[in-house]
């Protein structure tokens, strides 16, 4: 292996990782702060689209007699095409940003890629807030900011998965989703405070707050170590040793550091022997090699990673956060739709911490299946109640029905926040072998944003009063797509709880998704590749 001497490890599967320390927790928790970007943008967009000043600025319609954001007349609203364009264009930028991020993360490292994302994101924010009544500049700003979010969202998951200890990796990566929910809540709080301002501060303040998140994350990452797996992939073993020692809070000569490093190197050597790469195009094509029926093939992993992120979007959750305010405005019984949106985001935040325990106790696969089933039930109930009550959308017409709808929407959010929200990101971060990991995570993240974009494009036409105006009936659609998401998890997602990233490769070779929960590692990659000292091998055999 270039870059240093051969590193010898152990054959004991229980000794390949150091005990978890407070420093490791801190590093992962800080890195998860990148979720703020994703969540905050999701949160402010839905509220800004319903602000009187913002609507007046882009439609030039005269203000109503009472320009209260909570009680705007139905005809005082942005047209569906503008809502669609403004909402979806960020996801389009993020799609391409996530795809590009994989190559850049392999070339210069995980940390510099995230920092570059913060800079690009800030440039996009400037374009969003600088002009007034300039739709083209606003849309370009959304596109550029989206590219920055793509860099961040793809690489943060990659970085966290590669440095987090296997025992708590699921809980720590779930922190990314928790930060997303906090971002949504913060955005809704700022929007709630500025909703009735009749000046540019109504939308510029919520957008400009995002500069703070970029500054905190970009500056903080300057002090964190690079992923040791990045250095191993580059053949820089001395730097990998130093980085791993910092990540695990152990001396570089510690057996824990040497054993884990040997395991990473041995797994990479095996994967490279089976995944030859010659040209740039070839390095992308290997992501699609193998049989779809082979659970360990690159093609199957790519399908599961990209499909899982598609399935997460088709649970319908982003409809509530992108268009929740507009939807609640159509339910005439609600006195303040902005306040209800604030409540739904609070439910999202308070429900997510449950996943920290659930994802490690019950596992990824099980909570995806159970959470999906709960969402299907809740969404069909919302659709049925809203459809079966003819006057639910008439002011004062059916307050009990509207309260029931809101209650089950909140239950649906709680089910998502504690299961699909974090678990889909956890699985994607654990799924791919090191030679294609950055591209696999990048493609999966791009899939999330691609379908996010599609939903952002079509949804205004489904619920706007000047288009299909489905109202609560739209939840028949989301309930049906949530069935697809649940079945996808049942048939294709394997259980990765408690395994190192290298052990996940072994598990996928030896099991199927429905038998994966009972799999236990019986050997290390270091032993398989002959990178084991005799005394360490003897200790491992005694332990077994």
């Amino acid at each position: 292996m270039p870059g240093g001497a051969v590193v010898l490890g152990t054959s004991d599967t229980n000794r390949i990782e150091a005990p978890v320390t407070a420093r490791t927790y801190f590093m992962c928790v800080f890195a998860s702060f990148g979720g703020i970007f994703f969540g905050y943008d999701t949160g402010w967009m839905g509220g800004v689209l319903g602000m009187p000043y913002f609507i007046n600025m882009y439609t030039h319609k005269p203000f109503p007699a009472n320009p209260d954001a909570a009680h705007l007349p139905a005809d005082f609203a942005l047209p569906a095409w503008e809502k669609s364009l403004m909402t979806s264009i960020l996801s389009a930028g993020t799609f391409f940003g996530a795809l590009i991020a994989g190559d850049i993360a392999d070339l210069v490292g995980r940390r510099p890629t995230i920092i570059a994302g913060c800079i690009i994101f800030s440039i996009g924010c400037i374009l969003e807030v600088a002009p007034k009544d300039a739709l083209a500049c606003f849309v370009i700003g959304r596109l550029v900011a989206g590219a920055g979010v793509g860099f961040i969202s793809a690489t943060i998951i990659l970085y966290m998965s590669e440095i987090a200890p296997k025992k708590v990796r699921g809980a720590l990566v779930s922190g990314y989703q928790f930060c997303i929910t906090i971002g949504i809540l913060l955005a809704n709080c700022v929007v709630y405070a500025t909703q009735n301002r009749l000046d540019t501060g109504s939308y510029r303040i919520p957008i400009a707050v995002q500069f703070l998140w970029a500054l905190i994350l970009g500056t903080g990452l300057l002090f964190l170590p690079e992923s040791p797996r990045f250095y191993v992939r580059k053949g820089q073993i001395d730097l990998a040793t130093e980085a791993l020692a910092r990540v695990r809070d152990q001396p570089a000569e510690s057996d824990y550091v040497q054993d884990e490093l040997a395991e990473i190197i041995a797994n990479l050597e095996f994967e490279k022997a089976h995944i030859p790469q010659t040209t740039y195009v070839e390095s992308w094509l290997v992501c699609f090699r193998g049989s779809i029926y082979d659970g360990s093939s690159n093609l199957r992993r790519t399908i599961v990673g990209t499909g899982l992120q598609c399935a997460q979007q088709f649970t319908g959750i982003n409809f509530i956060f992108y268009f929740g305010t507009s939807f609640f405005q159509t339910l005439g019984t609600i006195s303040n739709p902005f306040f209800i949106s604030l409540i739904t985001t609070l439910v999202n935040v308070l429900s997510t911490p449950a996943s920290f325990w659930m994802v490690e106790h019950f596992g990824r696969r099980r909570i995806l299946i159970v959470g999906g089933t709960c969402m299907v039930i809740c969404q069909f109930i919302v659709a049925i109640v809203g459809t079966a009550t003819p006057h639910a959308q008439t002011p004062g017409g059916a307050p009990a029905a509207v309260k029931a709808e809101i209650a089950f929407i909140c239950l649906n959010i709680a089910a998502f926040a504690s299961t699909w929200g974090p678990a889909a990101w956890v699985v994607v971060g654990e799924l791919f072998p090191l030679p294609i990991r950055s591209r696999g995570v990048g493609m999966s993240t791009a899939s999330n944003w691609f379908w996010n974009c599609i939903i952002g494009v079509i949804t205004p036409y489904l619920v706007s009063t000047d288009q299909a105006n489905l109202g609560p009936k739209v939840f028949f659609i989301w309930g049906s797509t949530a069935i697809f998401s649940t079945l996808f998890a049942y048939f294709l997602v394997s259980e990765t709880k408690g395994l190192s990233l290298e052990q996940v490769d072994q598990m996928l070779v030896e099991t199927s998704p429905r038998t994966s929960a009972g799999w236990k590692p019986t050997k290390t990659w270091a032993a398989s590749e002959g990178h084991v000292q005799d005394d360490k091998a003897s200790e491992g055999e005694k332990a077994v």
Side-chain angles (χ1 to χ4, degrees), residues 39-61:
Y40 190 89
D41 186 85
T42 301
W44 74 254
M45 194 66 213
V48 165
L49 291 177
M51 288 181 173
Y53 185 85
F54 195 78
I55 295 171
N56 166 266
M57 184 172 67
Y58 283 108
T59 65
H60 303 292
K61 295 179 180 179

Side-chain angles (χ1 to χ4, degrees), residues 216-236:
I216 293 173
L217 181 63
T219 303
L221 277 168
L222 294 173
F223 301 97
L224 295 187
E226 180 56 81
S227 164
R229 286 176 169 87
F230 165 73
Y231 286 132
V232 169
R233 191 179 187 279
K234 302 289 281 188
Q236 299 172 323

Side-chain angles (χ1 to χ4, degrees), residues 281-296:
V281 174
E282 180 72 15
S283 68
W284 271 100
L285 292 178
V286 295
C287 298
F288 305 95
R289 290 272 174 83
S291 169
I292 192 174
Y293 301 106
D294 178 5
S296 64

Side-chain angles (χ1 to χ4, degrees), residues 404-425:
E405 288 180 272
I406 294 173
F408 278 99
I409 286 174
C410 288
L411 289 174
N412 177 73
I413 293 170
F416 175 87
S418 58
T419 59
W420 270 88
W425 291 110

Side-chain angles (χ1 to χ4, degrees), residues 110 158-164 227 229-230 434 437 501:
R110 286 40 168 156
L158 177 64
Y159 180 69
M160 291 181 65
S161 297
E162 290 189 340
I163 70 171
S227 164
R229 286 176 169 87
F230 165 73
L434 184 55
R437 182 171 296 140
L501 296 181

Side-chain angles (χ1 to χ4, degrees), residues 22-43:
R23 176 185 289 184
T24 300
Y25 275 116
F26 172 77
M27 289 180 182
C28 291
V29 168
F30 182 83
S32 68
F33 186 81
I36 292 281
F37 287 84
F38 186 167
Y40 190 89
D41 186 85
T42 301

Side-chain angles (χ1 to χ4, degrees), residues 192-536:
Y192 186 74
T194 65
Q195 59 180 305
N196 287 316
R197 289 180 63 131
L198 297 180
D199 56 29
T200 59
S202 60
Y203 71 93
R204 280 177 169 165
I205 292 173
I207 297 174
V209 167
Q210 296 176 113
F211 287 109
L212 179 61
W213 316 141
L215 180 64
I216 293 173
L217 181 63
T219 303
L221 277 168
L222 294 173
F223 301 97
L224 295 187
E226 180 56 81
S227 164
R229 286 176 169 87
F230 165 73
Y231 286 132
V232 169
R233 191 179 187 279
K234 302 289 281 188
Q236 299 172 323
I237 304 305
D238 293 340
L239 291 176
T241 304
E242 181 183 338
L244 188 59
R246 287 185 63 191
V247 167
R248 297 290 177 253
D249 198 17
Q250 296 281 334
E253 62 275 8
S254 162
D255 283 345
Y256 285 118
V257 171
Q258 296 300 311
D259 289 346
E260 185 174 357
L261 190 61
E263 189 73 357
I264 297 170
I265 294 171
N267 175 248
L268 178 63
E269 290 179 351
F270 174 84
E271 295 292 353
K272 280 190 170 182
H274 291 78
I275 309 177
Q277 300 179 23
T278 55
T279 65
Y280 177 78
V281 174
E282 180 72 15
S283 68
W284 271 100
L285 292 178
V286 295
C287 298
F288 305 95
R289 290 272 174 83
S291 169
I292 192 174
Y293 301 106
D294 178 5
S296 64
S297 73
N298 289 349
L299 174 62
R300 176 68 170 267
R301 297 193 207 205
T302 299
I303 290 173
V304 172
T306 56
L308 189 63
Q309 289 299 315
C310 168
Q312 188 201 57
Q313 289 302 300
F314 276 100
T315 60
I317 193 66
N318 276 338
F319 163 74
I320 298 171
F321 295 123
Y322 275 145
F323 302 105
T325 302
S326 300
F327 173 73
F328 293 135
Q329 283 173 333
T330 68
L331 302 178
T333 303
I334 297 177
S335 60
N336 193 332
F338 284 84
F339 183 66
I340 298 299
S341 293
L342 189 59
I343 290 176
T344 59
T345 57
L346 185 60
V347 171
N348 193 26
V349 172
L350 295 178
S351 302
T352 302
S355 68
F356 299 171
W357 177 77
M358 292 169 59
V359 75
E360 297 295 357
H361 185 77
F362 297 113
R364 290 70 156 143
R365 172 182 164 83
R366 184 180 299 177
I367 67 173
L368 286 172
I369 296 170
V370 174
T373 303
C374 291
M375 284 188 283
V376 170
I377 294 171
C378 290
Q379 295 191 71
F380 277 122
I381 290 176
V382 172
I384 292 169
V385 170
T387 305
T389 310
H391 303 295
Q393 292 176 266
T394 303
V402 172
K403 289 177 182 177
E405 288 180 272
I406 294 173
F408 278 99
I409 286 174
C410 288
L411 289 174
N412 177 73
I413 293 170
F416 175 87
S418 58
T419 59
W420 270 88
W425 291 110
V426 172
V427 172
V428 163
E430 298 171 334
L431 186 61
F432 297 95
L434 184 55
I436 66 166
R437 182 171 296 140
S438 63
R439 285 181 175 144
V441 174
M443 284 190 292
S444 300
T445 306
S447 173
N448 180 290
W449 288 105
F450 174 80
W451 294 108
N452 188 307
C453 179
I454 296 299
I455 291 171
V457 168
I458 65 175
T459 301
Y461 295 96
L462 297 177
V463 298
S464 293
T465 55
D466 61 338
Q467 297 293 329
N469 194 24
L470 292 180
K473 295 185 184 71
V474 74
F475 282 97
F476 280 122
I477 296 176
W478 302 132
S480 300
T481 54
I483 292 176
F484 152 76
S485 301
T486 306
L487 292 175
F488 184 93
Y490 179 79
F491 287 108
L492 292 175
V493 176
S494 296
E495 183 54 69
T496 54
K497 174 175 73 76
L499 304 177
S500 71
L501 296 181
E502 289 68 38
Q503 288 170 343
V504 170
D505 290 343
Q506 292 182 20
M507 179 271 293
L508 292 175
V509 171
E510 299 176 10
T511 69
S512 68
R514 280 173 281 182
T515 61
S516 58
W519 185 86
K520 300 294 181 185
T522 58
K523 59 183 178 181
T524 65
W525 283 107
S528 299
E529 298 296 302
H531 293 188
V532 178
Q533 292 179 355
D534 291 339
D535 57 337
K536 287 189 177 183

